[in-house]
């Protein structure tokens, strides 16, 4: 039995909308953090005093947000249909 079958019908709409919100926010924030981290690692950004390890942490945070966005998309598809 899937999760969608266990959730009452009255909650499927709000859960689908929340999952869509998680997807949008996760992808946008993840993209921003990933691109910022890559520019910090490559030295293309004008910010001084950030080590490579801190820049890689920014990249990893961005990738984690992208994964959360993907899970939000999967949740939306599970509750919307």
């Amino acid at each position: 039995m899937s999760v969608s079958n266990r959730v009452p019908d009255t909650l499927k709409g709000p859960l689908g909308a929340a999952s869509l919100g998680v997807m949008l926010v996760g992808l946008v924030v993840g993209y921003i953090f990933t691109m910022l981290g890559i520019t910090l690692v490559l030295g293309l950004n004008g910010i001084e005093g950030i080590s490579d390890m801190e820049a890689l942490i920014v990249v990893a945070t961005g990738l984690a947000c992208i994964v959360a966005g993907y899970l939000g998309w999967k949740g939306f598809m599970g509750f919307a249909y």
Side-chain angles (χ1 to χ4, degrees):
M1 179 180 272
S2 69
V3 175
S4 179
N5 293 336
R6 287 184 254 160
V7 175
D9 288 336
T10 58
L11 290 178
K12 285 185 181 180
L15 284 175
S19 296
L20 189 62
V22 167
M23 180 205 64
L24 290 173
V25 171
L27 291 179
V28 169
V29 170
Y31 177 79
I32 291 169
F33 278 169
T34 303
M35 290 300 118
L36 177 65
I38 289 171
T39 59
L40 288 172
V41 168
L42 297 177
L44 300 174
N45 201 326
I47 300 173
E48 298 291 329
I50 293 181
S51 67
D52 285 340
M53 183 56 99
E54 292 169 338
L56 290 175
I57 290 172
V58 173
V59 172
T61 303
L63 293 176
C65 289
I66 290 173
V67 168
Y70 174 73
L71 293 176
W73 173 251
K74 294 296 281 185
F76 172 72
M77 293 304 287
F79 288 118
Y81 297 105

